């Protein structure tokens, strides 16, 4: 569960990749700046997605521990 879900890929990643590919194709000068900025944005998106997934998993594990302790104290 530490990898991004299929929903993330279907809603965000695939349309993003298609849009960025289309934008690069539209650039008549084939500017290196455009490609580098698109690549940087993609890398940052993947990084923050992984970071958010890790935080969500940590929160889930902590809630599980808290619920188990609550059940034991009854």
């Amino acid at each position: 569960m530490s990898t991004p879900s299929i929903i993330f890929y279907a809603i965000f990643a695939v349309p993003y990749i298609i849009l960025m590919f289309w934008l690069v194709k539209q650039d008549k000068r084939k500017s290196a700046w455009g490609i580098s900025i698109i690549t940087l944005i993609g890398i940052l998106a993947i990084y923050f997605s992984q970071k958010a997934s890790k935080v969500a998993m940590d929160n889930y594990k902590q809630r599980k521990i808290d619920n188990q302790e609550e059940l034991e104290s009854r």
Side-chain angles (χ1 to χ4, degrees):
M1 188 108 176
S2 64
T3 61
S5 69
I6 191 74
I7 295 170
F8 169 78
Y9 286 120
I11 294 175
F12 297 108
V14 172
Y16 173 79
I17 291 168
I18 292 169
L19 176 67
M20 293 303 116
F21 181 74
W22 179 79
L23 285 173
V24 169
K25 286 290 193 183
Q26 297 299 313
D27 189 8
K28 300 296 181 197
R29 296 181 299 157
K30 302 294 181 205
S31 173
W33 278 105
I35 294 171
S36 61
I37 289 172
I38 289 169
T39 303
L40 178 65
I41 291 171
I43 291 170
L44 288 173
I46 292 170
Y47 169 75
F48 286 116
S49 172
Q50 293 295 323
K51 190 171 183 176
S53 294
K54 183 182 180 318
V55 168
M57 285 302 298
D58 291 344
N59 289 341
Y60 172 76
K61 289 175 185 176
Q62 187 59 44
R63 279 193 309 250
K64 192 174 179 182
I65 291 170
D66 292 344
N67 287 339
Q68 186 65 28
E69 289 174 354
E70 183 180 324
L71 288 174
E72 291 174 356
S73 68
R74 289 184 181 180

